[in-house]
Amino acid sequence: MLDAFTPITLVILGLTVANLTIRLSGYYLGAALPQLGAWARGLKALPGTLITALVTLQLIHGGPNEWIAGAVALGVAIISRSLPLTMLAGIAVIFALRHWI
Amino acid sequence: MQTPLQDLRAGFRDVLPLALGAALYGLAFGLLAAQAGMSVLQTGVMGSIVFSGSAQFVAVERLVAGAGAFTALVAGGALNLRILLMTASLRDVLAGRPFWQVLLGVHMTGDESWALLHATRATGRAVGYWYLVGAGACMMVAWVSATSAGAAFAAVLPEPHAMGIDFAFTAAFIAILRGLWSGRRDALPWIASAITVASLALLTPLEPSWALVAGGILGAVLAGVWGKDA
């Protein structure tokens, strides 16, 4: 059944193996790092710094429309602390900017 | 303290807005998968065993662009390097669990379930492992059904960029950041992370995924070296 190894099945299986390796390696890495002190503080800060990096990258790849919508979303997030409201506001603003302005 | 079942349900419920966003994004992925010549079954299988939206997008986009399987794999894999840092930061959630639960937990770890877990904990709610699994399960149901549907009905779907759907996740992560903010001690690591990723992405030819990982790590190092325990 060599026919089964099309580029598509190779990519599906390869990504599955790569993903599982990455996910498990992270678990072992986290378990091996010290539980106190600088390492622990760094690991604890990681969610915030990583998501900041992700949002920054997404905004860089966008343009003025995305920056305005991002600023509005941030305002709504600060005031409402609500995930659905922030998503709705962001999508509504980007939709309006792309269609009517 | 909640029972595992309550935790599971709470995670499933709290992630629903994000799952809705993922479903719309999933329809878009299904469209792309159909262009790559993938069947509905292949699309569904990929969604459940790879279970990583952005990596799937990048890899299949490379295939559609005419790159070989190897290039597509490297591109998708590199994008997922950040997951290494994500599962590393879950150590207190996964510690002491039997191996099958560790496997299940790390497989259910995606941007959304992981970020939601941390944001919910930042509000003071004592949620843990089963909350993460519940959120991941909801994301998986949405992702697998939407990507398969997208591949099946590729011909009749609207273009996602025009609908503003691509911005749903940026807005979601902004809301999650708001939840993670714990005061001025976060300012320096976060600003350092943003400046690092911005300068690397704009001024160097570095792959964006590496810029992302570099920014996240540098911010965390600053918090580790100069921070104080809360």
Side-chain angles (χ1 to χ4, degrees), chain B residues 15-35:
Chain B
V15 87
L16 273 173
L18 284 160
L20 184 66
L24 296 167
Y25 186 67
L27 284 173
F29 176 77
L31 278 171
L32 186 69
Q35 283 176 41

Side-chain angles (χ1 to χ4, degrees), chain B:
Chain B
M1 199 60 199
Q2 293 186 303
T3 66
L5 190 64
Q6 283 172 326
D7 245 12
L8 196 77
R9 278 196 191 141
F12 199 94
R13 192 184 52 231
D14 290 352
V15 87
L16 273 173
L18 284 160
L20 184 66
L24 296 167
Y25 186 67
L27 284 173
F29 176 77
L31 278 171
L32 186 69
Q35 283 176 41
M38 289 171 65
S39 69
V40 175
L41 180 68
Q42 282 175 325
T43 309
V45 168
M46 186 184 202
S48 50
I49 65 177
V50 178
F51 191 39
S52 176
S54 46
Q56 287 180 236
F57 243 108
V58 168
V60 174
E61 189 272 330
R62 290 289 85 203
L63 278 185
V64 172
F70 183 73
T71 313
L73 253 176
V74 171
L79 197 69
N80 269 354
L81 284 171
R82 70 184 186 288
I83 299 184
L84 182 90
L85 303 178
M86 287 164 45
T87 51
S89 77
L90 285 175
R91 66 175 175 191
D92 62 316
V93 175
L94 298 170
R97 302 230 161 233
F99 189 66
W100 72 267
Q101 287 188 4
V102 171
L103 265 185
L104 178 68
V106 297
H107 189 59
M108 289 299 171
T109 302
D111 291 320
E112 296 82 6
S113 56
W114 169 83
L116 182 77
L117 173 76
H118 285 296
T120 306
R121 290 179 135 198
T123 67
R125 277 169 66 192
V127 292
Y129 175 81
W130 292 106
Y131 186 85
L132 174 80
V133 173
C138 183
M139 292 300 297
M140 182 172 280
V141 170
W143 180 247
V144 172
S145 41
T147 52
S148 311
F153 304 108
V156 293
L157 288 169
E159 204 272 311
H161 183 79
M163 307 293 294
I165 299 310
D166 53 312
F167 195 73
F169 288 101
T170 309
F173 287 121
I174 289 173
I176 282 168
L177 270 183
R178 168 70 189 94
L180 285 177
W181 177 258
S182 63
R184 274 168 57 189
R185 68 194 164 94
D186 286 333
L188 180 70
W190 289 19
I191 291 170
S193 167
I195 291 177
T196 306
V197 74
S199 1
L200 289 176
L202 292 173
L203 306 176
T204 71
L206 198 69
E207 268 290 307
S209 327
W210 289 107
L212 181 77
V213 169
I217 289 182
L218 191 87
V221 166
L222 279 182
V225 174
W226 276 314
K228 292 185 185 66
D229 286 313

